[in-house]
């Protein structure tokens, strides 16, 4: 199997790009595992297995190199199809196998043979192009399928997915609403609507929709996983300091709010991969609360340390030079002064400790030019 085709990424994609694409595809597939059609649910389960295998192979340098060598050495095998109906069956099989280029080719051949009036051919073409990231083409093909068979929820679902990828939010919501009207049991369409709301800046409304669905879900495991993913994403959006590749926590309020989201996500979700992500995020929040010595601590405390050290040395010299009795030995006095100086150092250290989130805040403010690096 060509795992690049499975993910819809070029063979030159970086490990980070592949990992991100796998995460996106995994989340999309999770939402389809509650489809009303058993065959589609089984296809989603098979795709989940393929995604996990792609992750294992492509994120391991040695296995990826072996995979690339196999692809370069493998002969190009065209489909051996003799009838028009066989093209449709072959397209469906290749879709399930993750061969989207092959599925698109076969579905297009079926359309040519059967004419433009076959909704199944347009549907398969829309599925293949959608999986390959060709959202505009997929939208056109899905709309053709709808025009030929408007009573099929799957066709409207594909329209909604294409609109979502094109960030045409209102049109996507309308398509998913049509799916629910045609099939009131289509919980996957409600999940997609919630994602559209969250991606379009209406996160609270999306979470509320998922919470309402979860309370009455016929498949709470599926909806719970979708809600868990949404809550985890909401937690990642809490920090004010964000970059394209992550975020940095800079306040106790952010820690509190993120923990609330993550706790709820852990409660509703059973997905082991999501639980692993939650574990990592919660560990990061704990690290942000650990009190450490910030990089600027000794710079800020240098004056106190220097003055106390000078005083201690001066007093020690006076005691040694001016002592004329044996009541208290000079060494004892010098030792006491040294202990006092060490106590000052310990106090400076204890006072200088600060939680990691505060150090993060200073670094962020410095980057924003709000004040100097060590104030």
């Amino acid at each position: 199997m060509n795992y690049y085709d499975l993910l819809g990424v070029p063979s030159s994609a970086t490990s980070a790009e592949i990992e991100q694409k796998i995460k996106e595809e995994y989340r999309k597939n999770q939402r389809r595992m509650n489809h009303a059609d058993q065959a589609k649910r089984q296809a989603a389960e098979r795709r989940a297995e393929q995604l996990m295998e792609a992750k294992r192979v492509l994120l391991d340098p040695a296995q990826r190199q072996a995979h690339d060598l196999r692809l370069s050495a493998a002969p190009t095998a065209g489909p051996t199809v003799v009838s028009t109906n066989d093209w449709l069956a072959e397209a469906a099989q290749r879709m399930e196998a993750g061969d989207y280029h092959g599925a698109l080719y076969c579905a297009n051949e079926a359309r040519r043979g059967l004419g433009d009036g076959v909704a199944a051919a347009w549907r398969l073409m829309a599925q293949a192009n959608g999986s390959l990231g060709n959202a505009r083409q997929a939208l056109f093909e899905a709309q053709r399928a709808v025009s030929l068979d408007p009573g099929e929820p799957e066709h409207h679902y594909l329209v909604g997915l294409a609109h979502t990828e094109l960030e045409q939010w209102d049109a996507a919501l309308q398509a998913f609403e049509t799916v629910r009207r045609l099939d009131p049991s289509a919980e996957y369409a409600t999940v997609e609507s919630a994602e559209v709301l969250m991606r379009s800046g209406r996160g609270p409304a999306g979470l509320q929709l998922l919470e309402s669905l979860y309370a009455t879900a016929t498949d709470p495991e599926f909806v719970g996983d979708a809600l868990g993913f949404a809550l985890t994403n909401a937690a990642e959006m809490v920090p004010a300091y964000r970059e394209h590749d992550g975020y940095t926590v800079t306040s106790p309020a952010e820690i509190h709010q993120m923990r609330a989201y993550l706790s709820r996500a852990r409660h509703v979700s059973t997905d082991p991969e999501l639980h692993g992500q939650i574990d990592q995020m919660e560990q990061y929040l704990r690290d942000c609360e650990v009190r450490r010595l910030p990089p600027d601590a000794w710079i800020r405390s240098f004056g106190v340390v220097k003055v106390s050290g000078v005083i201690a040395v001066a007093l020690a010299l006076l005691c040694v030079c001016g002592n004329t009795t044996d009541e208290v030995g000079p060494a004892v006095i010098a030792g006491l002064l040294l202990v006092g100086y060490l106590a000052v150092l310990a106090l400076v250290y204890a006072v200088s400790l600060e939680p990691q989130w505060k150090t993060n805040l200073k670094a962020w403010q410095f980057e924003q030019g709000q004040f100097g690096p060590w104030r």
Side-chain angles (χ1 to χ4, degrees), residues 84-235:
T84 307
N85 286 329
D86 286 344
W87 282 117
L88 281 177
E90 181 74 11
Q93 291 176 7
R94 287 178 177 257
M95 274 300 302
E96 292 186 9
D99 179 9
Y100 303 128
H101 289 289
L104 181 60
Y105 176 84
C106 294
N108 194 45
E109 288 297 313
R111 182 187 62 81
R112 290 179 180 177
L114 296 172
D116 290 341
V118 180
W122 290 107
R123 183 187 71 245
L124 286 164
M125 291 168 65
Q127 289 175 332
N129 269 313
S131 298
L132 290 170
N134 305 324
R136 293 193 181 279
Q137 187 64 28
L139 176 60
F140 169 76
E141 292 156 350
Q143 288 173 333
R144 289 297 301 269
V146 166
S147 68
L148 294 169
D149 188 2
E152 172 55 52
E154 176 70 12
H155 298 163
H156 295 277
Y157 180 65
L158 292 172
V159 169
L161 291 180
H163 279 307
T164 300
E165 291 304 309
L166 294 170
E167 298 186 355
Q168 298 167 350
W169 310 122
D170 291 339
L173 290 172
Q174 183 178 357
F176 294 136
E177 178 59 33
T178 302
V179 175
R180 291 195 295 272
R181 179 173 54 80
L182 294 172
D183 181 8
S185 66
E187 294 178 339
Y188 60 91
T190 304
V191 169
E192 292 290 352
S193 293
E195 180 179 353
V196 169
L197 289 171
M198 289 182 287
R199 288 182 59 182
S200 60
R202 292 168 278 183
L207 284 177
Q208 184 177 0
L209 182 60
L210 284 175
E211 288 284 9
S212 299
L213 179 62
Y214 181 70
T216 59
T218 57
D219 188 349
E221 181 176 343
F222 162 73
V223 179
D225 285 344
L227 176 57
F229 278 115
L231 288 164
T232 304
N233 287 339

Side-chain angles (χ1 to χ4, degrees), residues 138-372:
L139 176 60
F140 169 76
E141 292 156 350
Q143 288 173 333
R144 289 297 301 269
V146 166
S147 68
L148 294 169
D149 188 2
E152 172 55 52
E154 176 70 12
H155 298 163
H156 295 277
Y157 180 65
L158 292 172
V159 169
L161 291 180
H163 279 307
T164 300
E165 291 304 309
L166 294 170
E167 298 186 355
Q168 298 167 350
W169 310 122
D170 291 339
L173 290 172
Q174 183 178 357
F176 294 136
E177 178 59 33
T178 302
V179 175
R180 291 195 295 272
R181 179 173 54 80
L182 294 172
D183 181 8
S185 66
E187 294 178 339
Y188 60 91
T190 304
V191 169
E192 292 290 352
S193 293
E195 180 179 353
V196 169
L197 289 171
M198 289 182 287
R199 288 182 59 182
S200 60
R202 292 168 278 183
L207 284 177
Q208 184 177 0
L209 182 60
L210 284 175
E211 288 284 9
S212 299
L213 179 62
Y214 181 70
T216 59
T218 57
D219 188 349
E221 181 176 343
F222 162 73
V223 179
D225 285 344
L227 176 57
F229 278 115
L231 288 164
T232 304
N233 287 339
E236 291 178 332
M237 297 302 295
V238 168
Y241 178 45
R242 303 189 53 78
E243 294 180 331
H244 67 280
D245 59 346
Y247 56 86
T248 301
V249 169
T250 56
S251 75
E254 291 178 348
I255 294 174
H256 177 76
Q257 189 176 357
M258 290 180 70
R259 278 205 174 117
Y261 281 132
L262 294 175
S263 176
R264 178 63 175 160
R266 186 184 295 279
H267 177 73
V268 300
S269 173
T270 59
D271 184 87
E273 184 166 324
L274 179 60
H275 278 223
Q277 182 181 351
I278 293 172
D279 289 340
Q280 293 177 1
M281 293 177 69
E282 289 180 333
Q283 181 59 54
Y284 171 69
L285 295 180
R286 288 191 292 271
D287 290 342
C288 285
E289 292 178 315
V290 174
R291 297 177 64 84
R292 297 183 175 90
L293 196 65
D296 65 333
W298 293 116
I299 297 176
R300 289 189 284 112
S301 306
F302 180 71
V304 176
V305 174
K306 181 174 66 175
V307 171
S308 60
V310 170
I311 293 174
V313 171
L315 291 175
L317 290 174
L318 287 174
C319 291
V320 171
C321 298
N323 184 63
T324 58
T325 69
D326 294 330
E327 295 180 1
V328 180
V332 174
I333 296 176
L336 291 174
L337 290 172
L338 177 60
V339 170
Y341 179 62
L342 292 177
V344 170
L345 292 180
L347 179 62
V348 169
Y349 176 82
V351 172
S352 299
L353 290 176
E354 64 183 26
Q356 182 62 43
W357 65 260
K358 191 170 185 179
T359 303
N360 296 343
L361 176 61
K362 291 178 180 178
W364 177 69
Q365 290 173 328
F366 173 61
E367 289 183 10
Q368 300 300 309
Q370 296 184 14
F371 54 67

